[in-house]
Amino acid sequence: MRDSGRPEPPTVVVLLAPGGAHDAHALRQVLAGLEEEGVPAAVETAAAHDCVALAERAAERSSLEVGVGIAADGVCLTHRALHGRPPLEHLLDPVVASRARCLGHDAARLVTGIALKLPAG
């Protein structure tokens, strides 16, 4: 619930490691993938430096139960139902724009229930 009393809009939450320990290019690509699929995102910072932990926290915060974590160790996508299990996607090298964008598409597709793109390799 917002301070104004209005409910939060449904979003995929993207959590970033504090202090800029993440790849800004990867963030832009993930957000572009989400936008292209028509699913809104909320970007926040959390006190963790592990992209898997960030993704799990993001999924817990997301009203859509889907979270993305971005840190120096990569980019992760998970669903709240997968808490404690390996993430759905974990990119160790998100510098490749098409892979990070694909992860954004898949985050949105988890919400809409259509087939995932899952990056090759």
Side-chain angles (χ1 to χ4, degrees), residues 17 21-23 48-54 69-76 90-94:
H22 60 273
D23 184 336
H49 296 281
D50 172 324
C51 69
V52 174
L54 287 167
I70 301 177
D73 66 338
V75 179
C76 284
H90 185 177
L91 302 179
L92 298 174
D93 185 12

mmCIF file of all heavy atoms in Angstrom, residues 17 21-23 48-54 69-76 90-94:
data_model
loop_
_atom_site.group_PDB
_atom_site.id
_atom_site.type_symbol
_atom_site.label_atom_id
_atom_site.label_comp_id
_atom_site.label_asym_id
_atom_site.label_seq_id
_atom_site.Cartn_x
_atom_site.Cartn_y
_atom_site.Cartn_z
ATOM 1 N N ALA A 17 21.910 -4.660 -6.264
ATOM 2 C CA ALA A 17 22.863 -4.629 -5.163
ATOM 3 C C ALA A 17 23.176 -3.170 -4.842
ATOM 4 O O ALA A 17 23.194 -2.326 -5.734
ATOM 5 C CB ALA A 17 24.134 -5.374 -5.547
ATOM 6 N N ALA A 21 26.967 -1.963 -7.418
ATOM 7 C CA ALA A 21 27.630 -3.226 -7.721
ATOM 8 C C ALA A 21 26.772 -4.051 -8.680
ATOM 9 O O ALA A 21 26.448 -5.193 -8.439
ATOM 10 C CB ALA A 21 27.911 -3.996 -6.437
ATOM 11 N N HIS A 22 26.365 -3.440 -9.753
ATOM 12 C CA HIS A 22 25.585 -4.140 -10.758
ATOM 13 C C HIS A 22 25.897 -3.533 -12.115
ATOM 14 O O HIS A 22 26.563 -2.500 -12.217
ATOM 15 C CB HIS A 22 24.095 -4.033 -10.455
ATOM 16 C CG HIS A 22 23.610 -2.610 -10.439
ATOM 17 N ND1 HIS A 22 23.676 -1.839 -9.308
ATOM 18 C CD2 HIS A 22 23.099 -1.831 -11.391
ATOM 19 C CE1 HIS A 22 23.202 -0.637 -9.592
ATOM 20 N NE2 HIS A 22 22.853 -0.603 -10.839
ATOM 21 N N ASP A 23 25.434 -4.157 -13.118
ATOM 22 C CA ASP A 23 25.688 -3.726 -14.479
ATOM 23 C C ASP A 23 24.501 -2.885 -14.972
ATOM 24 O O ASP A 23 23.413 -3.414 -15.175
ATOM 25 C CB ASP A 23 25.888 -4.964 -15.347
ATOM 26 C CG ASP A 23 26.256 -4.635 -16.760
ATOM 27 O OD1 ASP A 23 25.952 -3.525 -17.235
ATOM 28 O OD2 ASP A 23 26.861 -5.507 -17.401
ATOM 29 N N ALA A 48 22.056 -6.709 -0.268
ATOM 30 C CA ALA A 48 22.604 -8.036 -0.568
ATOM 31 C C ALA A 48 23.502 -7.872 -1.785
ATOM 32 O O ALA A 48 23.329 -6.944 -2.577
ATOM 33 C CB ALA A 48 21.497 -9.035 -0.837
ATOM 34 N N HIS A 49 24.467 -8.748 -1.921
ATOM 35 C CA HIS A 49 25.397 -8.649 -3.045
ATOM 36 C C HIS A 49 25.379 -9.899 -3.898
ATOM 37 O O HIS A 49 26.216 -10.076 -4.757
ATOM 38 C CB HIS A 49 26.811 -8.379 -2.520
ATOM 39 C CG HIS A 49 26.912 -7.062 -1.829
ATOM 40 N ND1 HIS A 49 27.017 -5.874 -2.516
ATOM 41 C CD2 HIS A 49 26.863 -6.731 -0.523
ATOM 42 C CE1 HIS A 49 27.070 -4.868 -1.656
ATOM 43 N NE2 HIS A 49 26.966 -5.364 -0.435
ATOM 44 N N ASP A 50 24.414 -10.767 -3.668
ATOM 45 C CA ASP A 50 24.280 -12.032 -4.390
ATOM 46 C C ASP A 50 23.016 -11.941 -5.232
ATOM 47 O O ASP A 50 21.921 -11.710 -4.701
ATOM 48 C CB ASP A 50 24.192 -13.145 -3.334
ATOM 49 C CG ASP A 50 23.861 -14.493 -3.904
ATOM 50 O OD1 ASP A 50 23.089 -14.592 -4.865
ATOM 51 O OD2 ASP A 50 24.377 -15.481 -3.357
ATOM 52 N N CYS A 51 23.141 -12.140 -6.542
ATOM 53 C CA CYS A 51 21.974 -11.951 -7.409
ATOM 54 C C CYS A 51 20.869 -12.976 -7.126
ATOM 55 O O CYS A 51 19.685 -12.668 -7.298
ATOM 56 C CB CYS A 51 22.370 -11.941 -8.876
ATOM 57 S SG CYS A 51 22.941 -13.505 -9.542
ATOM 58 N N VAL A 52 21.219 -14.178 -6.663
ATOM 59 C CA VAL A 52 20.184 -15.172 -6.343
ATOM 60 C C VAL A 52 19.373 -14.697 -5.129
ATOM 61 O O VAL A 52 18.136 -14.742 -5.150
ATOM 62 C CB VAL A 52 20.809 -16.557 -6.079
ATOM 63 C CG1 VAL A 52 19.745 -17.544 -5.615
ATOM 64 C CG2 VAL A 52 21.514 -17.077 -7.334
ATOM 65 N N ALA A 53 20.061 -14.231 -4.085
ATOM 66 C CA ALA A 53 19.356 -13.725 -2.897
ATOM 67 C C ALA A 53 18.497 -12.517 -3.256
ATOM 68 O O ALA A 53 17.360 -12.385 -2.775
ATOM 69 C CB ALA A 53 20.355 -13.362 -1.802
ATOM 70 N N LEU A 54 19.025 -11.649 -4.105
ATOM 71 C CA LEU A 54 18.254 -10.472 -4.526
ATOM 72 C C LEU A 54 16.996 -10.893 -5.288
ATOM 73 O O LEU A 54 15.911 -10.339 -5.080
ATOM 74 C CB LEU A 54 19.117 -9.549 -5.383
ATOM 75 C CG LEU A 54 20.192 -8.764 -4.639
ATOM 76 C CD1 LEU A 54 21.169 -8.130 -5.628
ATOM 77 C CD2 LEU A 54 19.572 -7.696 -3.754
ATOM 78 N N GLY A 69 17.084 -10.276 -9.752
ATOM 79 C CA GLY A 69 18.176 -9.730 -8.954
ATOM 80 C C GLY A 69 19.363 -9.430 -9.840
ATOM 81 O O GLY A 69 19.728 -10.251 -10.688
ATOM 82 N N ILE A 70 19.942 -8.244 -9.665
ATOM 83 C CA ILE A 70 21.110 -7.847 -10.460
ATOM 84 C C ILE A 70 22.215 -7.429 -9.502
ATOM 85 O O ILE A 70 22.037 -6.546 -8.667
ATOM 86 C CB ILE A 70 20.775 -6.690 -11.419
ATOM 87 C CG1 ILE A 70 19.651 -7.100 -12.376
ATOM 88 C CG2 ILE A 70 22.018 -6.264 -12.197
ATOM 89 C CD1 ILE A 70 19.190 -6.000 -13.317
ATOM 90 N N ALA A 71 23.353 -8.103 -9.623
ATOM 91 C CA ALA A 71 24.518 -7.804 -8.787
ATOM 92 C C ALA A 71 25.770 -8.055 -9.617
ATOM 93 O O ALA A 71 25.687 -8.449 -10.784
ATOM 94 C CB ALA A 71 24.504 -8.688 -7.540
ATOM 95 N N ALA A 72 26.918 -7.839 -9.001
ATOM 96 C CA ALA A 72 28.176 -8.032 -9.721
ATOM 97 C C ALA A 72 28.366 -9.483 -10.152
ATOM 98 O O ALA A 72 29.095 -9.754 -11.109
ATOM 99 C CB ALA A 72 29.338 -7.584 -8.843
ATOM 100 N N ASP A 73 27.696 -10.427 -9.461
ATOM 101 C CA ASP A 73 27.861 -11.835 -9.821
ATOM 102 C C ASP A 73 26.869 -12.317 -10.876
ATOM 103 O O ASP A 73 26.828 -13.497 -11.197
ATOM 104 C CB ASP A 73 27.782 -12.718 -8.574
ATOM 105 C CG ASP A 73 26.406 -12.718 -7.919
ATOM 106 O OD1 ASP A 73 25.630 -11.762 -8.128
ATOM 107 O OD2 ASP A 73 26.104 -13.679 -7.186
ATOM 108 N N GLY A 74 26.056 -11.425 -11.428
ATOM 109 C CA GLY A 74 25.172 -11.804 -12.515
ATOM 110 C C GLY A 74 23.762 -11.276 -12.376
ATOM 111 O O GLY A 74 23.488 -10.366 -11.590
ATOM 112 N N VAL A 75 22.883 -11.872 -13.166
ATOM 113 C CA VAL A 75 21.468 -11.503 -13.189
ATOM 114 C C VAL A 75 20.663 -12.785 -13.035
ATOM 115 O O VAL A 75 20.932 -13.776 -13.720
ATOM 116 C CB VAL A 75 21.090 -10.807 -14.518
ATOM 117 C CG1 VAL A 75 19.615 -10.449 -14.534
ATOM 118 C CG2 VAL A 75 21.942 -9.576 -14.746
ATOM 119 N N CYS A 76 19.673 -12.771 -12.119
ATOM 120 C CA CYS A 76 18.848 -13.959 -11.857
ATOM 121 C C CYS A 76 17.378 -13.622 -11.980
ATOM 122 O O CYS A 76 16.946 -12.521 -11.639
ATOM 123 C CB CYS A 76 19.083 -14.482 -10.447
ATOM 124 S SG CYS A 76 20.613 -15.358 -10.272
ATOM 125 N N HIS A 90 19.841 -17.802 -14.608
ATOM 126 C CA HIS A 90 20.970 -17.172 -13.919
ATOM 127 C C HIS A 90 22.028 -16.859 -14.969
ATOM 128 O O HIS A 90 22.682 -17.767 -15.477
ATOM 129 C CB HIS A 90 21.533 -18.103 -12.850
ATOM 130 C CG HIS A 90 22.615 -17.479 -12.031
ATOM 131 N ND1 HIS A 90 23.211 -18.106 -10.986
ATOM 132 C CD2 HIS A 90 23.217 -16.260 -12.098
ATOM 133 C CE1 HIS A 90 24.128 -17.332 -10.435
ATOM 134 N NE2 HIS A 90 24.145 -16.211 -11.112
ATOM 135 N N LEU A 91 22.169 -15.597 -15.299
ATOM 136 C CA LEU A 91 23.160 -15.174 -16.289
ATOM 137 C C LEU A 91 24.419 -14.735 -15.571
ATOM 138 O O LEU A 91 24.397 -13.807 -14.774
ATOM 139 C CB LEU A 91 22.627 -13.998 -17.119
ATOM 140 C CG LEU A 91 21.330 -14.210 -17.887
ATOM 141 C CD1 LEU A 91 20.957 -12.926 -18.612
ATOM 142 C CD2 LEU A 91 21.463 -15.366 -18.857
ATOM 143 N N LEU A 92 25.498 -15.404 -15.856
ATOM 144 C CA LEU A 92 26.777 -15.014 -15.264
ATOM 145 C C LEU A 92 27.425 -13.906 -16.074
ATOM 146 O O LEU A 92 28.251 -13.162 -15.564
ATOM 147 C CB LEU A 92 27.706 -16.223 -15.179
ATOM 148 C CG LEU A 92 27.192 -17.360 -14.283
ATOM 149 C CD1 LEU A 92 28.122 -18.558 -14.386
ATOM 150 C CD2 LEU A 92 27.055 -16.898 -12.846
ATOM 151 N N ASP A 93 27.072 -13.816 -17.349
ATOM 152 C CA ASP A 93 27.649 -12.802 -18.227
ATOM 153 C C ASP A 93 26.528 -12.001 -18.886
ATOM 154 O O ASP A 93 26.225 -12.193 -20.059
ATOM 155 C CB ASP A 93 28.514 -13.456 -19.288
ATOM 156 C CG ASP A 93 29.229 -12.431 -20.152
ATOM 157 O OD1 ASP A 93 29.240 -11.236 -19.786
ATOM 158 O OD2 ASP A 93 29.763 -12.831 -21.190
ATOM 159 N N PRO A 94 25.865 -11.123 -18.103
ATOM 160 C CA PRO A 94 24.735 -10.373 -18.648
ATOM 161 C C PRO A 94 25.135 -9.259 -19.601
ATOM 162 O O PRO A 94 24.302 -8.521 -20.093
ATOM 163 C CB PRO A 94 24.060 -9.805 -17.403
ATOM 164 C CG PRO A 94 25.165 -9.657 -16.435
ATOM 165 C CD PRO A 94 26.108 -10.815 -16.711
#
